[in-house]
Amino acid sequence: MKIVEQIDAMQRVAQHAKKTDRQIGFVPTMGYLHAGHISLVNEARRRVGSTGLVVVSIYVNPTQFAPSEDLTKYPRNLVRDRRLCRNAGVDVIFLPSDAVMYPGRAEGLHSTWVLEDRLSQGMEGASRATHFRGVTTVVAKLFNCVLPDIAVFGAKDWQQAAVVKRMITDLNFPIELVVAPTHREADGLAMSSRNAYLSPAERRQATVLWRVLCEAQALVRQSVNGLPAASLKRTLAKRVAAEPDARLDYIEVFDGATLAPARRVQQGAHMALAVYLGKTRLIDNAAL
Ligand code: AMP
């Protein structure tokens, strides 16, 4: 397994793979890897085959964090990340520094952004104003470094995958986006690097996100002709409020492909929510 820190070196590795007809499968991450990330690595390997090149980037992208958010305390453990990647058969870890990724940013010179301005408006985009601008910018930059044929993203960040898919189409990146299912703990909590912030009491209450999604699935299944979204959201908001350390940020029902909000919730609609457990903000989503 190679560790590559410079952009020109990464591009040379990618170009060599292309010359030798090896497909490149790419999994962008912010590190502090868990089994959810590794399931994306396995999917990338499945897609590119044993001769393909599987690249994982580990980069905590500062431009997708607001000043009030957890950039400086975002969990990091490179020793463990390297071991997990090696064990999963990753070929290359792309590990750029801030100076490499954003030359001139510290001096205020970085001034080019990639902006998706439709799908990124609601939900995460409404709660985190400049978040998706940072995501699309860094993902476009990473694509230009890694030159992947296939990029694997997690369904855990449903809106992010939709925004990146739109960017790939709109900007003509010759890349196939694969969305891999959300990996969960035994009690249903979606795996997330941010789960490491939770106190034992918050961790117990954090299952409320999955419980709410399961309840929504059951209610929609039992309904004859669907449910009004507003009353469903009110019912579920009460479940979140019943947890002493939980605070609902948003809960939305929408079309899973277009992200258009639904007024009536039918089977197959998509639901996403964001909940604070103490200071930690968790997100989850599922098809109903
Ligand atoms: P992150 O390191 O949190 O930026 O996530 C990197 C990639 O892993 C994103 O495409 C996420 O959607 C995906 N991911 C994070 N958590 C999970 C999970 N529990 N199951 C599947 N994919 C995940």
Side-chain angles (χ1 to χ4, degrees):
M1 186 177 73
K2 277 199 181 78
I3 311 256
V4 178
E5 297 184 349
Q6 300 297 327
I7 288 169
D8 55 354
M10 184 65 242
Q11 287 166 333
R12 272 199 305 278
V13 171
Q15 271 148 3
H16 179 74
K18 288 189 188 302
K19 271 197 209 110
T20 51
D21 266 348
R22 304 169 74 190
Q23 283 221 307
I24 302 174
F26 178 40
V27 180
T29 82
M30 299 204 296
Y32 209 72
L33 303 179
H34 50 66
H37 294 114
I38 299 306
S39 71
L40 307 190
V41 169
N42 294 339
E43 183 60 29
R45 172 60 70 199
R46 211 173 63 73
R47 300 274 174 160
V48 301
S50 57
T51 58
L53 193 78
V54 172
V55 181
V56 170
S57 63
I58 297 179
Y59 180 59
V60 183
N61 171 39
T63 66
Q64 70 192 68
F65 289 78
S68 60
E69 292 179 350
D70 55 344
L71 172 63
T72 52
K73 68 175 180 114
Y74 196 83
R76 290 164 167 87
N77 186 340
L78 192 56
V79 173
R80 193 165 58 107
D81 288 352
R82 284 164 79 141
R83 191 179 63 239
L84 287 171
C85 284
R86 188 174 298 110
N87 291 345
V90 169
D91 296 301
V92 179
I93 297 181
F94 180 47
L95 188 70
S97 65
D98 286 339
V100 163
M101 252 347 240
Y102 290 102
R105 181 167 177 268
E107 298 80 45
L109 297 176
H110 174 260
S111 53
T112 306
W113 298 96
V114 177
L115 187 67
E116 192 291 325
D117 69 0
R118 189 171 53 86
L119 302 175
S120 57
Q121 296 288 312
M123 297 191 280
E124 290 301 288
S127 291
R128 308 178 68 190
T130 56
H131 172 66
F132 280 122
R133 183 186 74 164
V135 169
T136 41
T137 300
V138 83
V139 170
K141 287 161 71 65
L142 289 168
F143 284 171
N144 284 333
C145 301
V146 175
L147 311 175
D149 300 285
I150 290 159
V152 186
F153 283 74
K156 159 83 179 1
D157 298 276
W158 188 266
Q159 187 180 12
Q160 170 174 279
V163 167
V164 170
K165 190 176 190 131
R166 193 68 242 164
M167 178 190 81
I168 285 174
T169 303
D170 288 347
L171 298 188
N172 312 101
F173 282 102
I175 298 170
E176 181 191 349
L177 181 131
V178 175
V179 182
T182 302
H183 220 72
R184 299 180 179 282
E185 304 286 357
D187 62 6
L189 177 66
M191 288 186 183
S192 164
S193 308
R194 289 189 167 98
N195 293 350
Y197 298 145
L198 301 171
S199 71
E202 289 164 352
R203 171 64 186 83
R204 281 191 297 277
Q205 295 168 54
T207 56
V208 72
L209 286 92
W210 179 234
R211 282 185 274 127
V212 156
L213 292 169
C214 292
E215 183 171 350
Q217 286 170 340
L219 289 171
V220 172
R221 222 175 293 130
Q222 287 156 19
S223 73
V224 180
N225 193 17
L227 300 163
S231 69
L232 178 63
K233 289 199 278 187
R234 269 197 305 277
T235 304
L236 300 173
K238 282 185 202 145
R239 301 288 181 262
V240 176
E243 302 295 336
D245 300 313
R247 182 167 64 79
L248 183 65
D249 181 2
Y250 68 78
I251 182 159
E252 287 300 341
V253 190
F254 53 91
D255 180 289
T258 65
L259 307 191
R263 291 170 66 93
R264 231 186 139 71
V265 188
Q266 312 278 2
Q267 267 193 44
H270 215 91
M271 173 172 274
L273 74 167
V275 174
Y276 284 94
L277 274 304
K279 289 191 172 130
T280 303
R281 187 172 176 281
L282 300 181
I283 60 172
D284 203 350
N285 71 87
L288 300 182

